[in-house]
Short mmCIF file of all heavy atoms in Angstrom, two decimals:
data_model
loop_
_atom_site.label_atom_id
_atom_site.label_comp_id
_atom_site.label_asym_id
_atom_site.label_seq_id
_atom_site.Cartn_x
_atom_site.Cartn_y
_atom_site.Cartn_z
N LEU A 1 75.91 114.84 72.62
CA LEU A 1 76.19 114.52 71.23
C LEU A 1 76.29 115.82 70.43
O LEU A 1 75.67 116.81 70.79
CB LEU A 1 75.07 113.64 70.65
CG LEU A 1 74.83 112.29 71.38
CD1 LEU A 1 73.65 111.59 70.77
CD2 LEU A 1 76.09 111.44 71.28
N THR A 2 77.06 115.79 69.39
CA THR A 2 77.28 116.98 68.57
C THR A 2 76.36 116.93 67.39
O THR A 2 76.55 116.16 66.44
CB THR A 2 78.75 117.05 68.10
OG1 THR A 2 79.61 117.03 69.25
CG2 THR A 2 79.00 118.34 67.32
N ALA A 3 75.37 117.80 67.36
CA ALA A 3 74.40 117.86 66.27
C ALA A 3 74.75 119.00 65.34
O ALA A 3 75.34 120.00 65.73
CB ALA A 3 72.98 118.05 66.81
N ILE A 4 74.42 118.83 64.06
CA ILE A 4 74.51 119.92 63.11
C ILE A 4 73.46 120.97 63.47
O ILE A 4 72.30 120.61 63.64
CB ILE A 4 74.33 119.44 61.68
CG1 ILE A 4 75.36 118.37 61.33
CG2 ILE A 4 74.46 120.61 60.69
CD1 ILE A 4 75.14 117.73 59.97
N ARG A 5 73.83 122.20 63.62
CA ARG A 5 72.86 123.18 64.06
C ARG A 5 71.84 123.46 62.95
O ARG A 5 72.14 123.35 61.77
CB ARG A 5 73.54 124.49 64.48
CG ARG A 5 74.37 125.14 63.41
CD ARG A 5 75.24 126.25 63.98
NE ARG A 5 76.12 126.82 62.99
CZ ARG A 5 75.82 127.92 62.28
NH1 ARG A 5 74.67 128.52 62.46
NH2 ARG A 5 76.65 128.40 61.40
N GLY A 6 70.63 123.82 63.38
CA GLY A 6 69.62 124.19 62.43
C GLY A 6 69.00 122.98 61.74
O GLY A 6 69.10 121.84 62.20
N MET A 7 68.38 123.23 60.59
CA MET A 7 67.70 122.19 59.86
C MET A 7 67.89 122.42 58.37
O MET A 7 68.28 123.51 57.94
CB MET A 7 66.21 122.15 60.21
CG MET A 7 65.45 123.38 59.82
SD MET A 7 63.76 123.49 60.50
CE MET A 7 64.12 124.09 62.14
N VAL A 8 67.58 121.43 57.58
CA VAL A 8 67.71 121.54 56.12
C VAL A 8 66.64 122.54 55.65
O VAL A 8 65.45 122.36 55.93
CB VAL A 8 67.50 120.20 55.43
CG1 VAL A 8 67.63 120.35 53.90
CG2 VAL A 8 68.48 119.17 55.97
N PRO A 9 67.01 123.60 54.92
CA PRO A 9 66.01 124.51 54.38
C PRO A 9 65.12 123.81 53.35
O PRO A 9 65.53 122.80 52.76
CB PRO A 9 66.84 125.63 53.70
CG PRO A 9 68.23 125.44 54.21
CD PRO A 9 68.38 124.01 54.56
N THR A 10 63.94 124.30 53.14
CA THR A 10 63.11 123.74 52.09
C THR A 10 63.68 124.15 50.72
O THR A 10 64.33 125.21 50.61
CB THR A 10 61.67 124.25 52.20
OG1 THR A 10 61.66 125.66 52.01
CG2 THR A 10 61.08 123.90 53.56
N PRO A 11 63.47 123.32 49.69
CA PRO A 11 63.97 123.73 48.37
C PRO A 11 63.45 125.08 47.89
O PRO A 11 64.12 125.77 47.12
CB PRO A 11 63.48 122.57 47.47
CG PRO A 11 63.33 121.40 48.38
CD PRO A 11 62.89 121.97 49.69
N ALA A 12 62.24 125.45 48.36
CA ALA A 12 61.69 126.74 47.98
C ALA A 12 62.45 127.91 48.60
O ALA A 12 62.39 129.04 48.11
CB ALA A 12 60.22 126.82 48.39
N ASN A 13 63.19 127.64 49.70
CA ASN A 13 63.96 128.67 50.39
C ASN A 13 65.45 128.38 50.29
O ASN A 13 66.21 128.60 51.27
CB ASN A 13 63.54 128.77 51.85
CG ASN A 13 62.09 129.19 52.00
OD1 ASN A 13 61.65 130.09 51.32
ND2 ASN A 13 61.37 128.53 52.91
N ARG A 14 65.91 127.88 49.16
CA ARG A 14 67.31 127.51 48.95
C ARG A 14 68.20 128.77 49.14
O ARG A 14 67.98 129.78 48.50
CB ARG A 14 67.48 126.93 47.58
CG ARG A 14 68.91 126.44 47.30
CD ARG A 14 69.04 126.05 45.84
NE ARG A 14 68.09 124.99 45.47
CZ ARG A 14 68.32 123.70 45.63
NH1 ARG A 14 69.48 123.30 46.10
NH2 ARG A 14 67.41 122.82 45.29
N PRO A 15 69.19 128.66 50.02
CA PRO A 15 70.10 129.84 50.21
C PRO A 15 70.92 130.11 48.98
O PRO A 15 71.20 129.20 48.19
CB PRO A 15 70.96 129.39 51.40
CG PRO A 15 70.27 128.22 52.00
CD PRO A 15 69.51 127.56 50.91
N ALA A 16 71.35 131.36 48.82
CA ALA A 16 72.23 131.70 47.73
C ALA A 16 73.61 131.12 48.02
O ALA A 16 73.97 130.88 49.17
CB ALA A 16 72.33 133.21 47.59
N GLY A 17 74.40 130.88 46.98
CA GLY A 17 75.72 130.36 47.18
C GLY A 17 75.69 128.88 47.53
O GLY A 17 74.86 128.13 47.03
N CYS A 18 76.60 128.47 48.40
CA CYS A 18 76.60 127.08 48.87
C CYS A 18 75.37 126.84 49.73
O CYS A 18 75.12 127.57 50.70
CB CYS A 18 77.86 126.81 49.68
SG CYS A 18 77.90 125.16 50.47
N PRO A 19 74.58 125.82 49.40
CA PRO A 19 73.32 125.61 50.17
C PRO A 19 73.54 125.28 51.64
O PRO A 19 72.64 125.46 52.46
CB PRO A 19 72.67 124.45 49.44
CG PRO A 19 73.75 123.77 48.69
CD PRO A 19 74.72 124.83 48.34
N PHE A 20 74.77 124.83 52.03
CA PHE A 20 75.04 124.43 53.40
C PHE A 20 75.57 125.59 54.25
O PHE A 20 75.74 125.43 55.45
CB PHE A 20 76.02 123.26 53.43
CG PHE A 20 76.26 122.68 54.79
CD1 PHE A 20 75.23 122.09 55.50
CD2 PHE A 20 77.53 122.72 55.38
CE1 PHE A 20 75.43 121.53 56.76
CE2 PHE A 20 77.74 122.16 56.64
CZ PHE A 20 76.70 121.57 57.34
N HIS A 21 75.81 126.76 53.66
CA HIS A 21 76.53 127.78 54.40
C HIS A 21 75.77 128.30 55.62
O HIS A 21 76.39 128.78 56.58
CB HIS A 21 76.91 128.93 53.46
CG HIS A 21 75.83 129.95 53.25
ND1 HIS A 21 74.94 129.90 52.20
CD2 HIS A 21 75.47 131.08 53.96
CE1 HIS A 21 74.10 130.93 52.28
NE2 HIS A 21 74.37 131.65 53.35
N THR A 22 74.44 128.19 55.64
CA THR A 22 73.66 128.68 56.78
C THR A 22 73.84 127.82 58.02
O THR A 22 73.49 128.25 59.12
CB THR A 22 72.17 128.76 56.42
OG1 THR A 22 71.74 127.46 56.00
CG2 THR A 22 71.92 129.76 55.30
N ARG A 23 74.37 126.61 57.86
CA ARG A 23 74.56 125.69 59.01
C ARG A 23 76.03 125.35 59.21
O ARG A 23 76.36 124.56 60.10
CB ARG A 23 73.77 124.42 58.78
CG ARG A 23 72.30 124.63 58.49
CD ARG A 23 71.63 123.34 58.09
NE ARG A 23 71.53 122.38 59.16
CZ ARG A 23 71.26 121.10 58.98
NH1 ARG A 23 71.07 120.60 57.78
NH2 ARG A 23 71.17 120.29 60.04
N CYS A 24 76.90 125.90 58.39
CA CYS A 24 78.29 125.43 58.32
C CYS A 24 79.17 126.11 59.39
O CYS A 24 79.06 127.29 59.65
CB CYS A 24 78.85 125.76 56.93
SG CYS A 24 80.52 125.14 56.69
N SER A 25 80.06 125.32 59.99
CA SER A 25 81.01 125.83 60.97
C SER A 25 82.26 126.34 60.32
O SER A 25 83.13 126.84 61.01
CB SER A 25 81.32 124.71 61.97
OG SER A 25 81.93 123.61 61.32
N GLN A 26 82.39 126.22 58.99
CA GLN A 26 83.58 126.67 58.28
C GLN A 26 83.26 127.78 57.26
O GLN A 26 84.04 128.04 56.34
CB GLN A 26 84.19 125.48 57.51
CG GLN A 26 84.54 124.28 58.39
CD GLN A 26 85.77 124.54 59.23
OE1 GLN A 26 86.52 125.47 58.98
NE2 GLN A 26 85.96 123.75 60.27
N VAL A 27 82.12 128.46 57.40
CA VAL A 27 81.67 129.40 56.40
C VAL A 27 82.64 130.55 56.23
O VAL A 27 83.20 131.08 57.20
CB VAL A 27 80.25 129.92 56.76
CG1 VAL A 27 80.28 130.74 58.06
CG2 VAL A 27 79.66 130.72 55.61
N ILE A 28 82.85 130.96 54.97
CA ILE A 28 83.68 132.12 54.62
C ILE A 28 82.77 133.24 54.16
O ILE A 28 82.18 133.16 53.06
CB ILE A 28 84.68 131.78 53.49
CG1 ILE A 28 85.52 130.55 53.86
CG2 ILE A 28 85.59 132.96 53.20
CD1 ILE A 28 86.38 130.05 52.75
N PRO A 29 82.54 134.28 54.99
CA PRO A 29 81.61 135.35 54.58
C PRO A 29 82.02 136.00 53.27
O PRO A 29 83.22 136.18 53.01
CB PRO A 29 81.75 136.36 55.76
CG PRO A 29 82.24 135.53 56.91
CD PRO A 29 83.13 134.47 56.32
N GLY A 30 81.03 136.29 52.46
CA GLY A 30 81.27 136.92 51.16
C GLY A 30 81.63 135.95 50.07
O GLY A 30 81.67 136.33 48.89
N VAL A 31 81.89 134.71 50.42
CA VAL A 31 82.21 133.67 49.44
C VAL A 31 81.17 132.58 49.43
O VAL A 31 80.49 132.34 48.46
CB VAL A 31 83.64 133.08 49.67
CG1 VAL A 31 83.93 131.98 48.68
CG2 VAL A 31 84.69 134.19 49.64
N CYS A 32 81.05 131.90 50.59
CA CYS A 32 80.11 130.78 50.69
C CYS A 32 78.67 131.20 50.48
O CYS A 32 77.84 130.42 50.00
CB CYS A 32 80.28 130.08 52.01
SG CYS A 32 81.90 129.34 52.28
N ASP A 33 78.34 132.44 50.87
CA ASP A 33 76.97 132.89 50.78
C ASP A 33 76.69 133.59 49.42
O ASP A 33 75.59 134.13 49.22
CB ASP A 33 76.61 133.84 51.92
CG ASP A 33 77.61 135.00 52.03
OD1 ASP A 33 78.56 135.04 51.25
OD2 ASP A 33 77.40 135.86 52.92
N ALA A 34 77.67 133.54 48.53
CA ALA A 34 77.48 134.26 47.25
C ALA A 34 77.75 133.38 46.04
O ALA A 34 77.16 133.60 44.98
CB ALA A 34 78.42 135.48 47.21
N GLN A 35 78.62 132.40 46.17
CA GLN A 35 79.03 131.61 45.01
C GLN A 35 78.81 130.12 45.28
O GLN A 35 79.09 129.62 46.37
CB GLN A 35 80.51 131.84 44.68
CG GLN A 35 80.88 133.27 44.44
CD GLN A 35 82.41 133.44 44.34
OE1 GLN A 35 83.13 132.50 44.06
NE2 GLN A 35 82.87 134.67 44.57
N MET A 36 78.35 129.42 44.24
CA MET A 36 78.22 127.96 44.32
C MET A 36 79.60 127.34 44.18
O MET A 36 80.31 127.65 43.21
CB MET A 36 77.27 127.44 43.23
CG MET A 36 77.02 125.94 43.29
SD MET A 36 76.02 125.46 44.70
CE MET A 36 74.42 126.13 44.18
N PRO A 37 80.03 126.49 45.11
CA PRO A 37 81.37 125.90 44.99
C PRO A 37 81.46 124.91 43.86
O PRO A 37 80.47 124.24 43.51
CB PRO A 37 81.55 125.21 46.36
CG PRO A 37 80.18 124.91 46.82
CD PRO A 37 79.31 126.04 46.32
N GLN A 38 82.64 124.80 43.26
CA GLN A 38 82.91 123.80 42.23
C GLN A 38 83.62 122.61 42.83
O GLN A 38 84.20 122.69 43.92
CB GLN A 38 83.78 124.42 41.10
CG GLN A 38 83.15 125.64 40.46
CD GLN A 38 81.81 125.35 39.79
OE1 GLN A 38 81.71 124.37 39.05
NE2 GLN A 38 80.81 126.16 40.08
N TYR A 39 83.63 121.50 42.13
CA TYR A 39 84.26 120.29 42.63
C TYR A 39 85.80 120.45 42.61
O TYR A 39 86.38 120.93 41.64
CB TYR A 39 83.89 119.06 41.81
CG TYR A 39 82.51 118.54 42.11
CD1 TYR A 39 81.50 118.57 41.16
CD2 TYR A 39 82.23 118.00 43.35
CE1 TYR A 39 80.24 118.10 41.41
CE2 TYR A 39 80.95 117.51 43.65
CZ TYR A 39 79.95 117.56 42.68
OH TYR A 39 78.72 117.09 42.94
N SER A 40 86.41 120.01 43.70
CA SER A 40 87.87 119.87 43.78
C SER A 40 88.19 118.41 44.05
O SER A 40 87.37 117.68 44.63
CB SER A 40 88.42 120.73 44.93
OG SER A 40 88.14 122.07 44.69
N HIS A 41 89.37 117.96 43.65
CA HIS A 41 89.72 116.56 43.82
C HIS A 41 90.57 116.41 45.09
O HIS A 41 91.64 116.99 45.23
CB HIS A 41 90.50 116.05 42.61
CG HIS A 41 89.60 115.78 41.43
ND1 HIS A 41 88.97 114.58 41.24
CD2 HIS A 41 89.25 116.58 40.38
CE1 HIS A 41 88.25 114.62 40.13
NE2 HIS A 41 88.42 115.84 39.58
N ALA A 42 90.04 115.66 46.03
CA ALA A 42 90.78 115.33 47.26
C ALA A 42 91.55 114.02 47.09
O ALA A 42 92.25 113.58 48.01
CB ALA A 42 89.81 115.20 48.43
N GLY A 43 91.42 113.40 45.97
CA GLY A 43 92.09 112.13 45.64
C GLY A 43 91.69 111.74 44.25
O GLY A 43 90.86 112.41 43.61
N PRO A 44 92.25 110.66 43.74
CA PRO A 44 91.94 110.27 42.35
C PRO A 44 90.45 110.09 42.08
O PRO A 44 89.98 110.43 41.01
CB PRO A 44 92.69 108.93 42.19
CG PRO A 44 93.78 109.00 43.22
CD PRO A 44 93.23 109.77 44.35
#
């Protein structure tokens, strides 16, 4: 089975930028670890 690697960090150790970037398979260095993403519309 394909598991998400790692575990959810505690709120006290919230990562900078996107909170999921430490476990993400699509991470963009210098972006995801630095800036909080804004909402985009994938549909109405």
Side-chain angles (χ1 to χ4, degrees):
L1 300 176
T2 304
I4 302 174
R5 60 192 176 93
M7 65 190 81
V8 181
T10 63
N13 297 317
R14 184 187 301 273
C18 174
F20 186 62
H21 83 266
T22 57
R23 307 171 68 195
C24 184
S25 60
Q26 303 288 343
V27 65
I28 305 172
V31 177
C32 297
D33 55 357
Q35 304 171 22
M36 183 71 71
Q38 302 300 312
Y39 283 115
S40 300
H41 284 274

